[in-house]
Amino acid sequence: MQLYASGGFTQFDYGSADRNLRQYGQVVAPSYNVSSIKNCISIYYSETDKMCGAEDVRQLGRDLQCAELHLLPYAAWNHGDFVWSRYARHALHEPIIAKIDAWRDGMKMRIAH
């Protein structure tokens, strides 16, 4: 909720300048440096998610070194739908499991050689 309220992608804010100063050495919670992340990340998002704005997700994709963005094709898909939609299995679970399987199979091939 802090991320949503602040509009930034920062570490936990302890609620006071003193506590943040003790924890981080500065009075405000520091931003995450996502450009230093080297792993490739797949991000699934929708245009109508009220908790994770589509433009914010696209900006995160640009900031990461390696990101695959997957826009879900459902006009009214919202944050809860990522868990509760009857289409979640088809739209999310199966593609994610296929990516994991492909990665695992690739690792097996590298180990075998």
Side-chain angles (χ1 to χ4, degrees):
M1 290 308 297
Q2 284 184 356
L3 296 176
Y4 180 76
S6 73
F9 194 44
T10 62
Q11 296 182 41
F12 182 76
D13 187 329
Y14 285 89
S16 77
D18 288 340
R19 291 181 72 192
N20 285 335
L21 191 59
R22 282 195 305 270
Q23 182 65 30
Y24 303 120
Q26 58 190 58
V27 296
V28 296
S31 295
Y32 285 109
N33 180 11
V34 297
S35 65
S36 68
I37 298 171
K38 295 179 181 170
N39 298 65
C40 291
I41 299 171
S42 292
I43 303 172
Y44 294 79
Y45 72 106
S46 78
E47 289 291 340
T48 54
D49 186 337
K50 303 296 185 217
M51 294 295 289
C52 297
E55 186 50 43
D56 292 339
V57 172
R58 288 189 286 269
Q59 182 61 53
L60 176 60
R62 289 188 293 271
D63 292 344
L64 290 164
Q65 290 185 34
C66 182
E68 288 182 356
L69 300 182
H70 303 275
L71 177 61
L72 296 173
Y74 303 105
W77 193 277
N78 209 328
H79 203 70
D81 292 319
F82 284 86
V83 176
W84 299 111
S85 172
R86 63 182 166 158
Y87 304 110
R89 178 179 178 172
H90 172 72
L92 293 168
H93 306 161
E94 290 172 355
I96 290 169
I97 290 168
K99 282 186 167 295
I100 292 168
D101 287 344
W103 177 82
R104 184 192 62 221
D105 292 346
M107 290 302 293
K108 285 181 184 177
M109 293 293 289
R110 286 186 212 141
I111 292 170
H113 290 92

